Amino acid sequence: DSSGIDGRLPGDDFKVLREELSAYNDELSQKPFLVLLNKIDTEESRENIKLFKKDYPFDSSTLMEISALEKVGLQEFLQSLQKITPSK
C-alpha cells in the first residue's frame, strides 16, 4: 500500500516483510519476486513512491506500480509474474 493512509510507510513495511520472510525460511527470500506498490491513484502515494524507489535495494525491474481501483498496471504485473513463475 503506497498511500500510507494507515500511518505506515511502504519502505518500512517492505523491510519488515523481508526480515520476516528470511527469519521464516531464508531460501524463500532468495527466490524471484515482484514488489507491487498499490493504490498509486491516491494523492498520498506520490511522495511515498518517490521515497520507496530511492531506497529500493533491488533491480528496478522487480518493482511495479499498480492501481487495482483504476486497473492500472495489472496487465504488466500479470506478464511479469508469468516470466518469473516456473512452468511445469
Side-chain angles (χ1 to χ4, degrees):
D1 178 352
S2 64
S3 70
I5 59 174
D6 55 6
R8 298 187 328 253
L9 293 173
D12 294 342
D13 287 349
F14 179 70
K15 182 179 177 186
V16 168
L17 287 171
R18 294 290 300 176
E19 289 170 355
E20 288 178 354
L21 185 62
S22 290
Y24 175 73
N25 183 336
D26 195 47
E27 287 181 29
L28 292 176
S29 66
Q30 304 306 314
K31 292 187 179 275
F33 64 91
L34 296 171
V35 174
L36 303 179
L37 293 172
N38 190 23
K39 298 185 182 175
I40 62 169
D41 49 274
T42 66
E43 185 68 33
E44 301 88 356
S45 68
R46 290 188 185 117
E47 186 62 29
N48 288 336
I49 290 171
K50 283 184 200 174
L51 291 171
F52 188 91
K53 286 182 172 183
K54 179 179 165 273
D55 295 329
Y56 188 65
F58 300 100
D59 188 284
S60 63
S61 67
T62 63
L63 183 59
M64 308 188 80
E65 297 178 30
I66 66 168
S67 168
L69 177 68
E70 296 181 358
K71 298 180 177 42
V72 172
L74 299 179
Q75 193 62 39
E76 294 85 354
F77 160 61
L78 293 174
Q79 291 169 352
S80 294
L81 185 60
Q82 279 185 319
K83 289 178 186 175
I84 67 167
T85 304
S87 59
K88 291 186 177 189

